[in-house]
Amino acid sequence: MASLGTSLPMWRSLAPRLAKELTCRQSLRNQCCAAKSIRRFGAISSPQSRKIRPSVLNNKSRHFFTSSLRKSVAVPGASGALEQDVAQTQAKSSSFPKTSSKSVAYWLLGSAASVFGIVIFGGLTRLTESGLSITEWRPVTGSMPPLTADDWEAEFAKYRASPEFKHLNPNMNLSEFKSIYYMEWIHRLWGRFIGMSFVLPAIYFVARKKVSAPMSLRLAGIAGLIGFQGFLGWWMVKSGLKDDLFAPGSHPRVSQYRLTAHLGAAFVCYVAMLWNGLAILRSHRLLADPMSGLKQLDALRDPRLAIFRRSVAGLALLVFTTAMSGGLVAGLDAGLIYNEFPYMGNGLAPPRAELWDAHYSRHEDRSDLWWRNILENPSLVQLDHRILAMTTFTSIMALWAYSRRSPTVKRLLPPAARKGVHGVVGFAFMQVGLGISTLLYLVPTPLASAHQAGSLFLLTWVLVLGSRIWHPSRTAKLLQLASKARQQQASASAASAMKRL
C-alpha cells in the first residue's frame, strides 16, 4: 500500500499525458477514416488529397478533418443526405445515356445497307422464278444446302410435287433446279444473317449502355420486325405451293397481297434503321457546338418552313405507297401487258369495262367489285401504279419549284437541305426513266431489278432530306442544357479570373 501510495503522484502526473496521447491517436484514426470516406464519395477532388497520411497530418489538416467531422455529427440528417447522394450516383451510373453512341449509328446504317441488298436480291429471286424452289421452312436446319446426291434428289422430288414444276417447269432437270435452289437459299441465308447481325449487337449496345432509353425501345421494335419479316416470307412462299391459293389454270405465283406485305415490312425495317442512324449522327453534330446547334434548330422551327417540312413527310409517304403498288404489279405480272407509254391501248387508260370487270367480284351483290379490281385486276393495277408514279414525280418537281421560287423558303432553307432537294429530283428522273424502259422492253430482269432499286434510292434520299429539315425536340432540349452548362462554366471561369486579379 505504501508503494502504491508513493506511486500515485507519479501516475497522476502521467495520466494527463497518456490521456492526451490516447486522444490524439483516436482523433488521428477518425481523421484517417474521414479522409478515406471523403475520398470515396468525391468530396476531395484534388490529387494532393490522396497523398495525405495520418502520420504526416499537420495542424491545419487536423483542424479541417476535425471540423468536418463535427459538422457531420452536428447537422441532423447528414448521413441520410450522404446516402441519398450515393444512391443518386449509383442511379446515374446504371441509367442510359442521353445520346446514343456514334458506333450505334454506323451499325444501324450498315444494317440498313444489308436490308437494301436483300430487297434487291429478293426481287431477283422472283424475277428468275426461284422463290418457290425450297418447299419447306426450316429456320435452323435449312441453313445448310444439300450436300450429297441423295439429298439433292430428295429436294428435287419435293419441288416436282409443287404446282410450279407441274405447270411451268415440267422439263426442268437437276442442274437447272440447283441454280434456282441456290438463289432462294442465298436469299434465306442472307435473311438469317441480317437477324443475327442485328439482334446480337443490339443486345451488346443495350447492355453496355451505349444507347439512350428511347433508342433501346426502337431497337427492340426493329428486332421484332425482322423476326416477323421471316414469318411473312414463308407465309408468302406458302401461297404458291398450293393450287387452291391462286386461280385454277393460271400461272403459279405467290399471292400479290402476301408479296406486298413482305415487301412493305422490308421497306419499313429499312426506313427505321436508316432514320435512326441518321438521327444519331445529326444529334452528335449539333451537340458538338451547342450554341450553333441551337441557332440551326431555331431556324428550322420557323413557321414559314412548316409547309415545306410537311410536304417532305407527305412525299415520303407517297413514294412508299407507289413502291407498294409496284409490289402488286410484280405479284400479278401486270407489267407484261400494255407495254407502251403513255398510252394503254387506244387511249391513256383501258376501256371502263376492262377496268371494272365483274369477273373479279366474289359477292352476288357486287359489293367487292371496286376494291377487288383495284387490287386484283392487272389492267387497273398497272394504271394505278402509273398514276401514283406520275403523281409522285409531279409532287417532287413542285417541291423543287417551291424551294427555288419562294424567297422565304430559299432564304430559310439550310444549304444541306437545298442539296437534298436536288438529289431527290435527280433520283426521281432516274426512276421514271427506269420504269418506262422496264415497261417498253417487256420487263427484262436487269431493268426490273434496277427499277426496284431505284424506288429504294428515291425513298432513301427523301428520308435524307427529311432528316436535314426535321426538328428533333429531344435533341433541342439537350442542346439547351449543354448551352446553359457552358454559359455557367464561362461565367465561373470569368469570376475566378476576376478574383485572381
Side-chain angles (χ1 to χ4, degrees):
M1 292 295 292
S3 62
L4 182 61
T6 56
S7 62
L8 281 176
M10 180 182 66
W11 288 107
R12 288 175 181 175
S13 63
L14 291 175
R17 188 182 304 171
L18 291 173
K20 186 175 181 179
E21 291 178 359
L22 291 174
T23 303
C24 291
R25 291 178 181 177
Q26 186 175 5
S27 63
L28 286 174
R29 292 176 182 175
N30 294 335
Q31 293 162 7
C32 182
C33 295
K36 291 180 179 179
S37 62
I38 292 172
R39 287 199 303 269
R40 183 179 304 170
F41 297 126
I44 298 178
S45 58
S46 63
Q48 296 178 355
S49 62
R50 299 180 181 178
K51 300 180 181 179
I52 296 176
R53 296 291 184 272
S55 58
V56 295
L57 289 174
N58 52 22
N59 294 331
K60 293 182 179 179
S61 300
R62 291 176 183 175
H63 177 72
F64 170 76
F65 287 122
T66 306
S67 61
S68 300
L69 290 173
R70 288 176 181 175
K71 289 180 181 179
S72 63
V73 175
V75 176
S79 60
L82 190 60
E83 292 177 357
Q84 185 177 2
D85 293 340
V86 174
Q88 292 178 356
T89 303
Q90 293 177 352
K92 290 181 180 179
S93 62
S94 62
S95 61
F96 288 95
K98 296 296 183 182
T99 58
S100 301
S101 173
K102 278 188 177 181
S103 58
V104 178
Y106 296 137
W107 162 69
L108 282 172
L109 294 179
S111 299
S114 186
V115 174
F116 187 104
I118 198 175
V119 169
I120 306 307
F121 194 82
L124 287 175
T125 60
R126 185 194 58 80
L127 291 168
T128 56
E129 304 290 348
S130 303
L132 300 177
S133 58
I134 302 179
T135 59
E136 294 178 343
W137 188 41
R138 294 172 294 176
V140 179
T141 59
S143 301
M144 294 297 296
L147 301 177
T148 64
D150 294 337
D151 293 339
W152 277 112
E153 286 294 340
E155 289 294 330
F156 193 30
K158 296 175 184 177
Y159 178 70
R160 287 197 299 266
S162 67
E164 184 178 74
F165 178 85
K166 296 176 181 178
H167 299 285
L168 187 64
N169 300 318
N171 299 320
M172 177 178 284
N173 55 34
L174 181 60
S175 178
E176 294 171 341
F177 169 71
K178 287 182 178 180
S179 63
I180 65 172
Y181 184 95
Y182 275 121
M183 286 285 293
E184 177 63 13
W185 177 75
I186 293 173
H187 181 63
R188 296 191 183 189
L189 187 65
W190 198 339
R192 293 183 179 95
F193 169 76
I194 290 176
M196 296 298 293
S197 63
F198 187 87
V199 173
L200 295 181
I203 295 174
Y204 170 79
F205 286 131
V206 173
R208 295 299 299 270
K209 301 295 188 299
K210 291 184 177 294
V211 296
S212 61
M215 186 58 64
S216 64
L217 297 178
R218 296 174 191 174
L219 295 183
I222 297 174
L225 183 59
I226 293 175
F228 183 64
Q229 174 72 348
F231 166 76
L232 284 177
W234 170 246
W235 185 56
M236 176 192 66
V237 171
K238 189 177 179 181
S239 65
L241 299 177
K242 294 182 180 180
D243 292 322
D244 57 347
L245 293 180
F246 49 87
S250 64
H251 187 289
R253 64 169 66 95
V254 298
S255 168
Q256 74 272 18
Y257 298 112
R258 302 185 187 187
L259 174 64
T260 305
H262 186 54
L263 180 66
F267 269 60
V268 171
C269 188
Y270 172 77
V271 167
M273 293 175 178
L274 178 66
W275 182 263
N276 287 289
L278 294 175
I280 294 173
L281 292 180
R282 188 189 185 201
S283 297
H284 279 277
R285 285 195 300 268
L286 293 173
L287 288 170
D289 188 356
M291 300 300 295
S292 176
L294 275 177
K295 292 180 180 179
Q296 295 179 25
L297 293 187
D298 288 341
L300 291 178
R301 291 186 64 183
D302 195 302
R304 291 170 290 184
L305 282 178
I307 296 178
F308 185 87
R309 188 162 48 246
R310 292 169 185 170
S311 299
V312 174
L315 183 60
L317 182 61
L318 187 57
V319 172
F320 178 82
T321 305
T322 306
M324 293 305 102
S325 71
L328 292 175
V329 171
L332 293 171
D333 289 331
L336 298 176
I337 59 175
Y338 291 112
N339 299 103
E340 51 194 345
F341 188 85
Y343 294 102
M344 297 181 70
N346 296 326
L348 294 176
R352 179 181 177 85
E354 183 180 348
L355 295 178
W356 305 103
D357 194 346
H359 169 73
Y360 297 97
S361 178
R362 299 182 185 178
H363 295 168
E364 294 182 358
D365 58 354
R366 307 299 186 194
S367 59
D368 59 342
L369 177 66
W370 63 276
W371 69 265
R372 285 198 179 274
N373 275 275
I374 290 175
L375 300 177
E376 298 179 5
N377 186 344
S379 300
L380 187 53
V381 166
Q382 189 191 126
L383 177 62
D384 292 339
H385 185 62
R386 291 188 181 203
I387 293 173
L388 285 171
M390 297 311 298
T391 303
T392 302
F393 181 77
T394 305
S395 301
I396 291 173
M397 298 309 299
L399 184 67
W400 173 79
Y402 180 57
S403 66
R404 298 283 294 177
R405 299 300 180 184
S406 174
T408 303
V409 174
K410 188 176 181 180
R411 177 171 50 86
L412 295 177
L413 205 62
R418 288 196 292 268
K419 294 179 181 178
V421 174
H422 294 158
V424 171
V425 171
F427 279 111
F429 273 101
M430 181 193 71
Q431 181 66 349
V432 169
L434 287 173
I436 296 175
S437 301
T438 302
L439 191 66
L440 295 178
Y441 288 96
L442 296 176
V443 196
T445 299
L447 280 177
S449 181
H451 184 53
Q452 186 177 17
S455 66
L456 267 178
F457 275 120
L458 180 59
L459 181 60
T460 300
W461 212 252
V462 173
L463 292 175
V464 170
L465 173 61
S467 68
R468 294 176 179 179
I469 55 104
W470 209 253
H471 183 271
S473 58
R474 190 170 183 274
T475 303
K477 294 179 182 179
L478 295 178
L479 285 172
Q480 292 176 357
L481 294 176
S483 62
K484 288 181 181 179
R486 287 199 175 186
Q487 290 176 358
Q488 292 176 357
Q489 184 180 4
S491 61
S493 60
S496 62
M498 292 296 294
K499 289 182 179 179
R500 291 175 184 175
L501 294 176

